[in-house]
Amino acid sequence: MEDLVRGFYRAAFADPLIGPVFTDVAHMDLEAHMPVMCDFWESVLFRAGKYHGNALQPHMALNRSVALEQQHFARWLGIWQATVDSLFLGEKAELAKTQAVRIGGCTTETPVSM
């Protein structure tokens, strides 16, 4: 799980559209955030029961600092899908992409171009 999450954040931090949201607005400490995100995705994909937080709350707070728009979610989704596809195949990989669509509030399950 860590390879997936790290790969995603490596690409997201480098992205000109959403990278600054992570680095300049949220001032995200990746090392501190990694265990949380790994627990989150393990719970989503494998029903591991490791994540007990409220994933929406910090994103709502972030949205008060910078207007998160559909283009931000589309880019997030595109990076996530590309990262999943670069590392995995199969049922869980497809579930990871489907769940990201749901989490991101997107209305389509087709991959978003980056």
Side-chain angles (χ1 to χ4, degrees):
M1 188 59 56
E2 188 170 335
D3 288 342
L4 173 60
V5 175
R6 275 194 191 281
F8 166 77
Y9 279 111
R10 186 172 28 258
F13 277 29
D15 184 79
L17 178 64
I18 66 171
V21 175
F22 289 109
T23 59
D24 300 340
V25 179
H27 303 286
M28 191 172 138
D29 177 351
L30 184 57
E31 292 312 310
H33 199 53
M34 281 300 298
V36 174
M37 291 311 303
C38 288
D39 286 353
F40 174 81
W41 282 106
E42 284 181 32
S43 296
V44 167
L45 298 176
F46 303 107
R47 300 181 189 260
K50 293 181 173 184
Y51 181 79
H52 302 287
N54 179 345
L56 186 58
Q57 185 176 8
H59 295 91
M60 295 301 290
L62 182 61
N63 191 54
R64 287 191 290 274
S65 297
V66 62
L68 298 174
E69 299 174 355
Q70 183 58 36
Q71 65 181 345
H72 295 100
F73 291 115
R75 184 67 57 86
W76 173 84
L77 179 61
I79 293 170
W80 177 258
Q81 290 173 334
T83 306
V84 170
D85 287 342
S86 74
L87 295 170
F88 302 104
L89 293 171
E91 182 181 329
K92 290 298 181 186
E94 293 307 310
L95 179 60
K97 294 185 292 185
T98 299
Q99 290 297 85
V101 169
R102 291 181 182 141
I103 290 165
C106 295
T107 58
T108 177
E109 291 192 24
T110 56
V112 178
S113 300
M114 294 193 308

